[in-house]
Amino acid sequence: MTVAERTAVARVVFPVADVDAVLPLYVDGDASHAELLGRDGVRVLPGGTVSLGSYFNAFPASYWRAETDVTTVRLTARLTGRGRIEVFRSDAQASAVLVESREVDGVAGVEVELPLDGFADGGVLWFDLIAADGETLELSDADWSIAGAMTASATAVMATFNRPVDCLAQLRTIVEDARLDDLVDRVVVVDQGTDLVAGQPDFAAVAARLGDRLQLVRQPNLGGSGGFSRGMLEALRAGDSDYVLLLDDDAITEPEAVARAIRFAAAAREPLVVGGGMLHLDDRAVLYTQSEQWDPRIGWVRLDRPGAYDHDFAATPFRDAPYFHAHQRSDFNGWWMCLIPIPVIREAGLSLPLFLKGDDVEFALRAREHGVRTVSPTGIALWHLGWGGKAPTRTWEAYFLHRNRLITELLHARRRRPTGVILHSFLGDLKPLLTLQYSAVRLRAQAIVDVLSGPERLPRWLGTRASAIRDLWQEYPDATPVTGLIAPEGGADEPRGRIAQVRTLLRVGARHLLVPARPFAADRPEVHLTASRLGWWSFADVDSALVDTADGRAMVRYRRDRRESVRALRRSMRLHARLWLHWPWLATGWRRAAPRLASAVSWAEVLGP
């Protein structure tokens, strides 16, 4: 390595598709003076200002200071025209300070060396472009670089199930960005469906461009954990990558984010799991989340953090959003985009055979116990369909959510009996019970039963449990779409104030358990509820309703049944009492079995050749 060698760890980029929808992620604030010049450039109109203090183009200085030994970063920008480039830094409160200003007149290559001290609590770096009156200022390309050469590569893994068009689009994104050629040295597609990626008309052309970098694997549907574990196993066997990059098949990737994740991980002073944020596919300028945290008191995701979820950069620009300037702790990252060092997989194991939901959380907590933290810097993200249109708690997936959450706590909870986790689980049964979602309560009960049965069945269940759970779910009317029924819009409004909420809760609970449903409700729905209006208070005076599914494409029938309510409540109380009583011995059994279940040897036996 020579002193002159440098590595661009983040390039300034611009969108080339869906520009109007995603531009607030690339150009901060008012973009009326910006004229995009392809992927790398922008023209600032006369007298205008364009700020690159945006989600994708600000440099996450605090993360680089905290996790690497890098002491300075260099901004290099190639400009043409007349105007000025101004470089700013922020603190954890998003307060900006001008640190450098350079005049541009003609053709200029601007280099600014910037120290990374003073970013302990947070802060980013960015630059603005200001065109002179009557003149334009053009940026042809810019990057943030560090001293030294860097070589690192990843195996990208996509597990897909009957989403061949989306998966092929992901492959095309990787193959069409030349900057990823040296960073992604292998792509493993694990096709678990019947509508195959290889059957798409354009697949042959994409595969030809990837050449021997592409490995296509066919296997039965073993869920996300089975698909991603197959990819991890193939990466271990090949032995030519430093990382495994997990990508959802139905996401849209920003290729620069992939490059940044690999560069950041390679520069880190110790092994890290590097996570990417999730932007809403159906609302492109909204970031669903970045840097998620796990609440060990209740064994669930912390959802009460101000600014952590559903931030709209079109409404509040990046520069004005302190959450993204402060250094955020991550406990785990969704496997929509997650970069994992190969040595961590060798030491800590692959995914547990959980099929889907929560395998990413469990893996991150396990990796942390092996000394490897999860870090999710800003500027690394992709687009994925938000959970609002899926509502897994109202589908058969509720079983896997609950079962795998309890397994995670059995493996990682620090208390001998985590009463908060068990209480939160019990209270979690009451909400669907009050909203007449008897199928969800039944699936959650089955989840506890299966957890109580111990870990040995997990590998056998990998290919069969989903089908059995889906059949159980469909036995309930609230799981079966109906047609030909109409009802007036209605349902009680959410009570306001603590006293009103308590009174309503007691009245609804007593009514469900003590008062039989009115006879006509069995045949005629009383009201129609949209998904957004569904709450525990909705059935204060209603025995039957048509309720929209989360995606709004169908309606299901909710009917109150006093006997079912009593039966479900008794079952929940009994199961949670057993869970509390047996927890210490259950935890011991699960913890003994987990290393074997997550091992490459075990997965090789489960997956076969």
Side-chain angles (χ1 to χ4, degrees):
M1 184 180 74
T2 65
V3 176
E5 290 179 310
R6 301 193 67 82
T7 299
V9 294
R11 297 179 185 273
V12 172
V13 292
F14 300 95
V16 293
D18 301 309
V19 172
D20 291 340
V22 303
L23 193 57
L25 299 169
Y26 296 85
V27 174
D28 202 66
D30 182 11
S32 60
H33 296 106
E35 184 179 309
L36 301 188
L37 303 175
R39 181 73 169 143
D40 301 314
V42 63
R43 177 183 294 118
V44 186
L45 300 181
T49 299
V50 170
S51 176
L52 280 301
S54 60
Y55 176 80
F56 273 129
N57 282 325
F59 182 77
S62 69
Y63 289 93
W64 278 84
R65 180 201 178 278
E67 306 297 346
T68 77
D69 291 324
V70 175
T71 57
T72 64
V73 63
R74 179 182 297 173
L75 168 64
T76 302
R78 281 151 282 278
L79 298 160
T80 305
R82 288 190 63 230
R84 190 168 68 255
I85 178 172
E86 295 182 342
V87 184
F88 294 86
R89 62 179 291 160
S90 69
D91 59 18
Q93 288 74 45
S95 299
V97 175
L98 177 66
V99 294
E100 187 81 20
S101 179
R102 302 277 184 90
E103 296 294 327
V104 178
D105 189 358
V107 178
V110 175
E111 290 187 352
V112 183
E113 199 79 22
L114 299 159
L116 293 182
D117 54 357
F119 289 104
D121 296 327
V124 301
L125 293 163
W126 76 88
F127 64 94
D128 290 355
L129 299 172
I130 301 99
D133 291 338
E135 303 283 348
T136 63
L137 182 63
E138 292 186 10
L139 173 73
S140 57
D141 63 90
D143 61 53
W144 305 88
S145 67
I146 63 174
M150 187 183 297
T151 58
S153 65
T155 292
V157 177
M158 283 172 264
T160 184
F161 178 73
N162 291 342
R163 292 193 180 107
V165 175
D166 295 333
C167 186
L168 185 60
Q170 278 279 56
L171 287 174
R172 191 178 290 112
T173 296
I174 293 173
V175 79
E176 289 181 352
D177 195 305
R179 295 170 181 169
L180 297 183
D181 288 350
D182 295 330
L183 294 173
V184 178
D185 52 17
R186 182 181 299 269
V187 181
V188 179
V189 176
V190 184
D191 200 331
Q192 305 185 118
T194 54
D195 191 359
L196 303 179
V197 178
Q200 294 302 299
D202 297 336
F203 175 78
V206 174
R209 292 184 63 179
L210 283 169
D212 58 7
R213 295 165 62 202
L214 176 64
Q215 182 179 355
L216 187 62
V217 180
R218 287 283 311 281
Q219 69 180 31
N221 181 22
L222 304 178
S225 62
F228 283 136
S229 289
R230 166 72 81 172
M232 294 178 187
L233 193 61
E234 297 301 331
L236 288 175
R237 287 170 173 167
D240 49 9
S241 296
D242 303 292
Y243 305 94
V244 168
L245 174 65
L246 305 180
L247 294 171
D248 256 352
D249 59 338
D250 58 344
I252 296 177
T253 298
E254 164 55 76
E256 172 60 22
V258 172
R260 292 176 186 177
I262 297 172
R263 297 294 196 200
F264 180 75
R269 68 173 63 92
E270 61 185 39
L272 297 174
V273 174
V274 179
M278 190 181 90
L279 295 151
H280 280 281
L281 192 58
D282 46 3
D283 198 351
R284 301 289 179 92
V286 177
L287 181 70
Y288 166 67
T289 188
Q290 185 122 33
S291 300
E292 290 196 274
Q293 295 180 5
W294 187 252
D295 189 343
R297 298 170 301 172
I298 59 174
W300 196 243
V301 183
R302 281 195 60 196
L303 300 173
D304 59 347
R305 299 160 57 218
Y309 289 91
D310 292 319
H311 181 87
D312 186 351
F313 287 107
T316 305
F318 180 89
R319 286 178 302 172
D320 301 328
Y323 176 86
F324 300 101
H325 294 251
H327 191 97
Q328 302 292 340
R329 188 191 88 237
S330 293
D331 293 330
F332 70 96
N333 203 91
W335 280 358
W336 51 73
M337 180 183 184
C338 193
L339 187 77
I340 304 171
I342 289 286
V344 177
I345 298 173
R346 286 201 185 99
E347 180 182 343
L350 291 68
S351 170
L352 279 178
L354 301 179
F355 193 74
L356 52 73
K357 301 299 178 187
D359 43 3
D360 43 13
V361 176
E362 191 285 322
F363 182 90
L365 298 183
R366 183 171 11 124
R368 187 174 66 186
E369 291 171 358
H370 283 77
V372 179
R373 295 172 295 111
T374 297
V375 179
S376 303
T378 53
I380 299 175
L382 49 60
W383 287 270
H384 190 278
L385 186 64
W387 306 138
K390 295 184 176 182
T393 56
R394 291 179 57 190
T395 73
W396 58 271
E397 294 180 359
Y399 162 84
F400 290 100
L401 271 173
H402 198 48
R403 186 198 70 175
N404 298 345
R405 166 249 190 125
L406 293 175
I407 291 172
T408 296
E409 287 306 297
L410 282 164
L411 294 174
H412 304 291
R414 296 179 180 178
R415 295 190 176 185
R416 185 169 181 267
R417 276 195 180 93
T419 303
V421 172
I422 298 170
L423 178 61
H424 190 266
S425 172
F426 173 68
L427 295 176
D429 281 357
L430 299 185
K431 181 178 179 180
L433 191 59
L434 292 173
T435 53
L436 312 186
Q437 297 175 63
Y438 297 119
S439 66
V441 183
R442 180 66 183 87
L443 295 185
R444 288 169 61 89
Q446 189 62 50
I448 297 177
V449 169
D450 289 353
V451 167
L452 289 168
S453 71
E456 300 305 324
R457 298 182 185 181
L458 274 187
R460 297 200 306 271
W461 278 343
L462 197 57
T464 61
R465 204 61 180 151
S467 177
I469 292 300
R470 197 179 291 113
D471 290 342
L472 177 61
W473 175 61
Q474 290 176 342
E475 293 177 5
Y476 289 81
D478 59 278
T480 307
V482 296
T483 57
L485 295 175
I486 58 173
E489 301 293 326
D493 293 327
E494 181 176 4
R496 295 184 177 181
R498 183 66 59 85
I499 295 176
Q501 289 177 347
V502 171
R503 287 175 176 172
T504 303
L505 179 61
L506 293 175
R507 182 164 68 88
V508 173
R511 184 171 182 270
H512 280 17
L513 297 174
L514 302 175
V515 181
R518 290 165 289 191
F520 68 83
D523 302 314
R524 188 177 75 246
E526 299 173 74
V527 297
H528 169 235
L529 291 169
T530 61
S532 61
R533 282 184 58 83
L534 179 63
W536 59 264
W537 55 85
S538 301
F539 296 94
D541 300 298
V542 172
D543 290 331
S544 179
L546 293 175
V547 181
D548 290 347
T549 56
D551 59 10
R553 296 179 180 178
M555 292 186 297
V556 292
R557 183 84 175 271
Y558 283 20
R559 289 184 295 196
R560 189 168 71 84
D561 184 327
R562 188 188 70 84
R563 290 183 178 179
E564 181 64 28
S565 296
V566 172
R567 182 164 49 246
L569 180 59
R570 286 176 175 171
R571 182 175 56 221
S572 177
M573 294 172 67
R574 184 175 65 253
L575 286 172
H576 282 92
R578 287 181 60 195
L579 190 62
W580 184 87
L581 181 64
H582 295 291
W583 187 280
W585 298 276
L586 274 173
T588 298
W590 278 95
R591 294 182 188 199
R592 285 175 178 170
R596 173 174 48 82
L597 295 175
S599 69
V601 172
S602 176
W603 271 109
E605 294 173 354
V606 170
L607 298 172

